[in-house]
Amino acid sequence: SELDGAKSANAALESKLHGAHRELEDMLNELRDVKSQMGRMSNDLSSAAEERERTTGRLAALDEAQRSLHAARAELQVEREASAARQSELDSLMNEHARLSKDHGEAIDMFEREVEAAKAERDEARSLWCDDVSRLKEDLDSGRTHLTNVMSELEGAHRAVESLETDVRHL
């Protein structure tokens, strides 16, 4: 029954480890989703940077036209406002990218700590199980030796009884 208890404890620990493994896989999938979002945001940032460079070129052209054409001032103002909006959007994207990078790093650190903790729990459970199995094997070997000794004594007693029965019959 101690071996059954050890097996039951081992099965419970295996189940707990399996649950922890599933949770870790879910976290890894979430991290992959975050990584994918970061990739998309990086592409958006690249596109926004390219757009900013194009906008900067247009602004330079408009500044030159403003000196020569008073009528181009209204169009230049619109272009500046659009550039400011894109710059604000770019700044917002860069801030979000920095935040996601930080969150991603923290999530990876937390994931690695949880993996290490799960491995430590598994190793401890394995060690406890091995200790229990070793102890039960020792108990089994001791019991087997005791039963062998008892069987030897019983066989000796049986032979003695047979010898007495034979002596009693002769008498």
Side-chain angles (χ1 to χ4, degrees):
S1 78
E2 286 183 21
L3 182 57
D4 290 343
K7 285 181 180 177
S8 176
N10 186 42
L13 286 171
E14 290 276 342
S15 175
K16 183 178 178 182
L17 286 173
H18 183 69
H21 180 70
R22 280 193 310 262
E23 289 178 20
L24 291 174
E25 286 179 349
D26 291 344
M27 288 178 68
L28 184 59
N29 287 335
E30 289 176 16
L31 288 174
R32 286 182 182 133
D33 290 345
V34 168
K35 182 179 179 184
S36 176
Q37 288 175 353
M38 287 178 60
R40 287 190 299 274
M41 291 182 81
S42 178
N43 291 339
D44 291 345
L45 283 172
S46 296
S47 296
E50 291 172 7
E51 182 64 25
R52 180 180 178 196
E53 288 178 21
R54 287 191 294 273
T55 299
T56 301
R58 285 189 296 241
L59 284 174
L62 288 174
D63 284 340
E64 182 65 30
Q66 183 181 21
R67 284 187 280 276
S68 62
L69 300 171
H70 183 67
R73 286 184 184 186
E75 185 179 342
L76 179 60
Q77 184 60 35
V78 169
E79 202 55 43
R80 283 183 177 160
E81 289 171 3
S83 177
R86 282 189 291 272
Q87 180 63 45
S88 175
E89 184 178 326
L90 177 62
D91 291 344
S92 176
L93 286 172
M94 290 180 76
N95 289 337
E96 181 67 11
H97 180 265
R99 185 189 65 75
L100 286 173
S101 291
K102 181 182 176 228
D103 290 350
H104 182 258
E106 290 172 357
I108 286 173
D109 290 344
M110 183 175 68
F111 174 75
E112 287 173 349
R113 285 191 303 272
E114 288 180 7
V115 165
E116 289 303 316
K119 285 179 180 178
E121 283 182 25
R122 179 199 64 203
D123 292 345
E124 182 179 340
R126 185 176 287 149
S127 175
L128 290 173
W129 181 79
C130 287
D131 290 347
D132 286 346
V133 167
S134 293
R135 185 181 48 77
L136 289 172
K137 282 181 180 178
E138 287 173 7
D139 290 350
L140 182 63
D141 290 343
S142 175
R144 188 176 290 137
T145 301
H146 179 68
L147 283 176
T148 301
N149 291 339
V150 168
M151 287 299 291
S152 294
E153 289 176 16
L154 282 174
E155 287 173 2
H158 181 68
R159 282 192 295 272
V161 167
E162 285 178 345
S163 175
L164 284 174
E165 285 176 349
T166 302
D167 290 347
V168 167
R169 280 189 213 136
H170 288 315
L171 290 175

